[in-house]
Amino acid sequence: PTVDLGDGSIVRAEALLRWRHPGRGLLRPNIFVPLLEQTGKLVPLGWATIGSACQALARWRTVHPPAQGMRISVNLSPSQLLAPDLVPRLGAAVDASGLLPGDLELEVAELDAMSHFDRAVEVAAVLRRAEYKVALDDFGLGLATTEHIKALGVHTIKIDRSYLGGNPQHGGSSAIVQYAIEGAAILGLDVV
Protein backbone atom coordinates (compact mmCIF):
# COMPACT_ATOMS: atom_id res chain seq x y z
CA PRO A 1 0.00 0.00 0.00
CA THR A 2 0.92 3.68 -0.40
CA VAL A 3 -0.17 5.84 2.51
CA ASP A 4 -0.89 9.58 2.40
CA LEU A 5 1.35 10.99 5.13
CA GLY A 6 -1.08 13.87 5.68
CA ASP A 7 -4.05 11.84 6.85
CA GLY A 8 -2.83 8.23 7.03
CA SER A 9 -5.24 6.97 4.38
CA ILE A 10 -4.25 4.30 1.89
CA VAL A 11 -4.31 5.99 -1.53
CA ARG A 12 -3.09 3.15 -3.73
CA ALA A 13 -1.93 -0.41 -3.66
CA GLU A 14 0.68 -1.87 -5.98
CA ALA A 15 0.33 -5.30 -7.53
CA LEU A 16 3.63 -7.10 -6.95
CA LEU A 17 4.45 -10.48 -8.44
CA ARG A 18 6.20 -13.12 -6.38
CA TRP A 19 6.84 -16.75 -7.25
CA ARG A 20 6.24 -19.26 -4.47
CA HIS A 21 8.90 -21.78 -5.44
CA PRO A 22 8.46 -25.19 -3.76
CA GLY A 23 12.11 -25.48 -2.77
CA ARG A 24 13.39 -21.89 -2.61
CA GLY A 25 10.41 -20.15 -1.06
CA LEU A 26 9.13 -16.75 -2.13
CA LEU A 27 11.16 -15.38 -5.05
CA ARG A 28 11.30 -11.72 -6.08
CA PRO A 29 10.80 -10.69 -9.73
CA ASN A 30 14.49 -10.01 -10.36
CA ILE A 31 14.97 -13.80 -10.07
CA PHE A 32 12.22 -15.01 -12.41
CA VAL A 33 11.31 -12.10 -14.72
CA PRO A 34 14.41 -12.51 -16.94
CA LEU A 35 13.40 -16.16 -17.53
CA LEU A 36 9.84 -15.10 -18.33
CA GLU A 37 11.18 -12.55 -20.81
CA GLN A 38 13.40 -15.14 -22.52
CA THR A 39 10.54 -17.60 -22.88
CA GLY A 40 7.96 -15.05 -24.07
CA LYS A 41 5.77 -15.59 -21.00
CA LEU A 42 6.21 -12.16 -19.45
CA VAL A 43 3.72 -10.27 -21.62
CA PRO A 44 0.80 -12.72 -21.12
CA LEU A 45 1.54 -12.75 -17.38
CA GLY A 46 1.63 -8.95 -17.40
CA TRP A 47 -1.80 -8.72 -19.03
CA ALA A 48 -3.19 -11.27 -16.56
CA THR A 49 -1.68 -9.30 -13.67
CA ILE A 50 -3.37 -6.09 -14.82
CA GLY A 51 -6.72 -7.91 -15.06
CA SER A 52 -6.29 -9.50 -11.63
CA ALA A 53 -5.25 -6.20 -10.05
CA CYS A 54 -8.32 -4.43 -11.44
CA GLN A 55 -10.58 -7.23 -10.20
CA ALA A 56 -8.95 -7.08 -6.74
CA LEU A 57 -9.55 -3.34 -6.40
CA ALA A 58 -13.15 -3.76 -7.51
CA ARG A 59 -13.65 -6.47 -4.83
CA TRP A 60 -11.99 -4.34 -2.14
CA ARG A 61 -14.32 -1.47 -2.95
CA THR A 62 -17.39 -3.65 -2.39
CA VAL A 63 -16.30 -4.80 1.08
CA HIS A 64 -14.20 -1.90 2.36
CA PRO A 65 -15.70 1.59 1.84
CA PRO A 66 -12.40 3.49 2.36
CA ALA A 67 -11.06 1.71 -0.73
CA GLN A 68 -13.40 3.84 -2.89
CA GLY A 69 -10.70 6.49 -3.27
CA MET A 70 -7.84 4.05 -3.89
CA ARG A 71 -6.02 3.34 -7.13
CA ILE A 72 -4.32 0.12 -8.11
CA SER A 73 -0.81 0.36 -9.52
CA VAL A 74 0.75 -2.16 -11.92
CA ASN A 75 4.16 -2.27 -13.58
CA LEU A 76 4.37 -2.28 -17.37
CA SER A 77 7.14 -4.39 -18.88
CA PRO A 78 9.12 -2.94 -21.79
CA SER A 79 7.30 -5.38 -24.09
CA GLN A 80 3.91 -4.10 -22.89
CA LEU A 81 5.08 -0.51 -23.27
CA LEU A 82 5.95 -1.25 -26.90
CA ALA A 83 2.79 -3.30 -27.62
CA PRO A 84 0.52 -1.69 -30.24
CA ASP A 85 -2.58 -3.03 -28.45
CA LEU A 86 -1.70 -1.60 -25.02
CA VAL A 87 -4.64 0.79 -24.67
CA PRO A 88 -7.33 -1.65 -25.89
CA ARG A 89 -6.03 -4.34 -23.52
CA LEU A 90 -6.05 -1.90 -20.61
CA GLY A 91 -9.56 -0.83 -21.54
CA ALA A 92 -10.74 -4.44 -21.56
CA ALA A 93 -9.30 -5.06 -18.08
CA VAL A 94 -10.79 -1.88 -16.65
CA ASP A 95 -14.19 -2.47 -18.28
CA ALA A 96 -14.33 -6.10 -17.09
CA SER A 97 -13.75 -4.97 -13.50
CA GLY A 98 -16.11 -2.02 -13.54
CA LEU A 99 -13.33 0.42 -12.70
CA LEU A 100 -12.56 3.69 -14.46
CA PRO A 101 -9.25 4.33 -16.25
CA GLY A 102 -8.20 6.78 -13.51
CA ASP A 103 -8.39 3.95 -10.98
CA LEU A 104 -5.43 2.25 -12.68
CA GLU A 105 -1.90 3.61 -12.38
CA LEU A 106 0.67 2.21 -14.80
CA GLU A 107 4.26 2.20 -13.66
CA VAL A 108 7.08 2.45 -16.19
CA ALA A 109 10.60 1.89 -14.89
CA GLU A 110 12.80 4.92 -15.47
CA LEU A 111 15.43 2.81 -17.25
CA ASP A 112 12.75 1.43 -19.62
CA ALA A 113 11.34 4.89 -20.27
CA MET A 114 14.79 6.26 -21.05
CA SER A 115 15.71 3.24 -23.22
CA HIS A 116 12.53 3.68 -25.29
CA PHE A 117 12.05 7.40 -24.69
CA ASP A 118 10.18 8.39 -27.86
CA ARG A 119 7.77 5.46 -27.51
CA ALA A 120 7.36 6.11 -23.77
CA VAL A 121 6.41 9.76 -24.44
CA GLU A 122 3.94 8.67 -27.14
CA VAL A 123 2.36 5.98 -24.94
CA ALA A 124 2.20 8.23 -21.87
CA ALA A 125 0.33 10.86 -23.91
CA VAL A 126 -2.19 8.27 -25.14
CA LEU A 127 -2.63 6.92 -21.60
CA ARG A 128 -3.18 10.42 -20.18
CA ARG A 129 -5.79 11.19 -22.85
CA ALA A 130 -7.56 7.95 -21.87
CA GLU A 131 -7.37 9.16 -18.23
CA TYR A 132 -5.01 6.50 -16.89
CA LYS A 133 -2.43 7.55 -14.31
CA VAL A 134 1.24 7.07 -15.18
CA ALA A 135 4.11 6.72 -12.72
CA LEU A 136 7.86 6.76 -13.31
CA ASP A 137 9.17 3.87 -11.21
CA ASP A 138 12.69 3.29 -9.85
CA PHE A 139 13.39 7.01 -10.21
CA GLY A 140 17.07 7.85 -9.87
CA LEU A 141 18.41 4.85 -11.81
CA GLY A 142 17.81 5.95 -15.41
CA LEU A 143 19.16 9.50 -15.51
CA ALA A 144 15.87 11.18 -16.39
CA THR A 145 16.10 14.96 -16.35
CA THR A 146 13.35 17.40 -15.51
CA GLU A 147 12.78 17.83 -19.25
CA HIS A 148 12.34 14.06 -19.64
CA ILE A 149 9.82 13.99 -16.79
CA LYS A 150 7.88 16.92 -18.27
CA ALA A 151 7.87 15.27 -21.72
CA LEU A 152 6.57 12.01 -20.22
CA GLY A 153 3.83 13.86 -18.36
CA VAL A 154 3.77 11.37 -15.49
CA HIS A 155 1.56 11.91 -12.43
CA THR A 156 3.91 10.26 -9.93
CA ILE A 157 7.59 9.55 -9.44
CA LYS A 158 8.60 6.62 -7.28
CA ILE A 159 12.09 7.11 -5.88
CA ASP A 160 14.14 3.95 -6.10
CA ARG A 161 14.53 2.17 -2.78
CA SER A 162 18.33 2.17 -3.13
CA TYR A 163 18.26 5.87 -2.17
CA LEU A 164 16.53 5.10 1.10
CA GLY A 165 18.01 3.72 4.28
CA GLY A 166 21.55 5.05 3.85
CA ASN A 167 22.66 2.81 0.97
CA PRO A 168 26.44 3.39 0.69
CA GLN A 169 26.22 3.13 -3.13
CA HIS A 170 24.44 6.47 -3.14
CA GLY A 171 26.47 8.93 -1.08
CA GLY A 172 24.33 11.94 -0.23
CA SER A 173 21.14 9.93 -0.68
CA SER A 174 19.09 12.17 1.58
CA ALA A 175 20.07 15.23 -0.47
CA ILE A 176 19.11 13.44 -3.69
CA VAL A 177 15.76 12.36 -2.24
CA GLN A 178 15.09 15.88 -0.96
CA TYR A 179 15.95 17.32 -4.39
CA ALA A 180 13.61 14.81 -6.09
CA ILE A 181 10.75 15.61 -3.68
CA GLU A 182 11.18 19.37 -4.09
CA GLY A 183 11.44 19.07 -7.88
CA ALA A 184 8.33 16.90 -8.00
CA ALA A 185 6.43 19.45 -5.89
CA ILE A 186 7.36 22.21 -8.33
CA LEU A 187 6.09 20.05 -11.21
CA GLY A 188 2.90 19.15 -9.29
CA LEU A 189 3.74 15.44 -9.09
CA ASP A 190 3.07 12.89 -6.38
CA VAL A 191 6.13 11.24 -4.84
CA VAL A 192 6.41 7.74 -3.45
Side-chain angles (χ1 to χ4, degrees):
T2 301
V3 176
D4 182 322
L5 294 179
D7 64 13
S9 65
I10 297 174
V11 294
R12 80 175 59 80
E14 181 179 357
L16 297 172
L17 292 179
R18 300 295 184 261
W19 176 18
R20 190 172 309 280
H21 187 279
R24 297 173 58 194
L26 205 56
L27 301 179
R28 297 179 58 85
N30 60 322
I31 303 295
F32 61 87
V33 164
L35 178 62
L36 291 172
E37 282 181 297
Q38 291 171 2
T39 60
K41 305 271 191 236
L42 183 60
V43 171
L45 180 61
W47 298 132
T49 301
I50 290 170
S52 293
C54 289
Q55 293 294 333
L57 180 57
R59 277 191 312 276
W60 296 339
R61 286 180 170 180
T62 63
V63 298
H64 189 62
Q68 294 303 319
M70 283 179 57
R71 287 195 305 261
I72 192 76
S73 181
V74 183
N75 293 292
L76 284 181
S77 71
S79 299
Q80 288 174 299
L81 180 66
L82 299 172
D85 61 347
L86 172 63
V87 174
R89 283 185 172 268
L90 293 173
V94 167
D95 290 347
S97 66
L99 298 179
L100 298 173
D103 296 327
L104 180 59
E105 182 172 65
L106 301 154
E107 297 187 10
V108 178
E110 184 185 17
L111 284 170
D112 296 336
M114 297 307 295
S115 297
H116 306 284
F117 186 69
D118 291 339
R119 175 65 177 162
V121 168
E122 177 186 314
V123 168
V126 170
L127 293 173
R128 278 193 317 277
R129 281 194 301 274
E131 300 183 6
Y132 293 98
K133 302 295 183 193
V134 181
L136 191 60
D137 196 14
D138 302 329
F139 182 74
L141 298 182
L143 306 175
T145 66
T146 303
E147 291 306 312
H148 291 122
I149 294 169
K150 284 171 38 180
L152 288 166
V154 298
H155 298 92
T156 304
I157 62 169
K158 295 183 68 182
I159 299 170
D160 186 73
R161 73 177 58 235
S162 66
Y163 287 95
L164 307 174
N167 186 328
Q169 286 182 315
H170 296 292
S173 291
S174 63
I176 292 168
V177 170
Q178 181 178 350
Y179 174 75
I181 291 170
E182 290 171 0
I186 290 168
L187 295 172
L189 305 176
D190 289 340
V191 178
V192 176

